[in-house]
């Protein structure tokens, strides 16, 4: 059985909006649903959504709070636990991880929980390609 999926914020936005994502990512999401696996969202995604709306980089038809609540209320979607250990681990990632603190937290959470991180972020995908993370390009 494949590892559970953690959505990066970009993946969460595209999936929630019904935007086009890579066929392999769609297949992995379908496989997870069929297997009864939750698709996880990081609590940091709530913060990033707030930041994106506040800086006018994205516009939502509802408040960021309502948007995030609707996202985690979707069937098969669950809020990932964010234990302090994962936050600490984000400071001690191997090699040269991305510098963005939220990316580091997402990576550490995926590693801590044994999730595959679904993302389009090229730095995260490069980190995964070097063997430090399991990732799905979307």
């Amino acid at each position: 059985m494949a590892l559970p999926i953690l959505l990066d914020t970009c993946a969460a936005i595209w999936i929630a909006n019904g935007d086009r994502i890579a066929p392999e990512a769609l297949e992995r999401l379908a496989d997870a649903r069929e297997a009864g696996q939750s698709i996880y969202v990081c609590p940091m995604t709530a913060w990033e959504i707030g930041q994106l709306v506040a800086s006018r980089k994205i516009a939502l038809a509802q408040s960021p709070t309502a948007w995030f609540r609707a996202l985690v209320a979707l069937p098969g979607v669950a809020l990932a636990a964010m234990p302090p250990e994962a936050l600490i681990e984000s400071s001690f990632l191997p090699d040269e991880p991305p510098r963005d603190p939220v990316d580091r937290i997402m990576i550490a959470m995926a590693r801590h929980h044994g999730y595959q991180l679904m993302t389009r972020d090229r730095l995260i995908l490069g980190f995964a390609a070097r063997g430090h993370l399991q990732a799905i390009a979307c």
Side-chain angles (χ1 to χ4, degrees), residues 7-23:
L7 300 177
D8 188 11
T9 301
C10 60
I13 292 169
W14 292 317
I15 290 167
N17 290 343
D19 294 340
R20 184 180 160 103
I21 64 171

Side-chain angles (χ1 to χ4, degrees), residues 27-125:
E27 185 177 316
R28 280 290 300 118
L29 291 168
D31 290 348
R33 283 188 203 107
E34 281 181 28
Q37 287 182 333
S38 291
I39 297 165
Y40 292 95
V41 176
C42 179
M44 292 304 297
T45 293
W47 180 81
E48 282 196 302
I49 291 297
Q51 289 293 305
L52 290 168
V53 171
S55 65
R56 298 192 170 134
K57 292 183 179 174
I58 66 169
L60 301 174
Q62 53 193 330
S63 73
T65 301
W67 184 93
F68 188 78
R69 284 185 182 148
L71 174 66
V72 295
L74 291 171
V77 176
L79 187 62
M82 197 163 85
E85 295 83 3
L87 295 171
I88 293 167
E89 290 167 17
S90 73
S91 299
F92 298 95
L93 296 171
D95 198 5
E96 292 183 31
R99 290 181 177 239
D100 182 287
V102 176
D103 289 348
R104 293 173 69 102
I105 290 169
M106 294 268 190
I107 289 167
M109 286 193 50
R111 288 167 50 102
H112 182 85
H113 291 295
Y115 298 153
Q116 291 180 319
L117 185 57
M118 185 174 285
T119 187
R120 280 191 191 168
D121 187 299
R122 62 180 176 76
L123 296 176
I124 294 173
L125 292 171

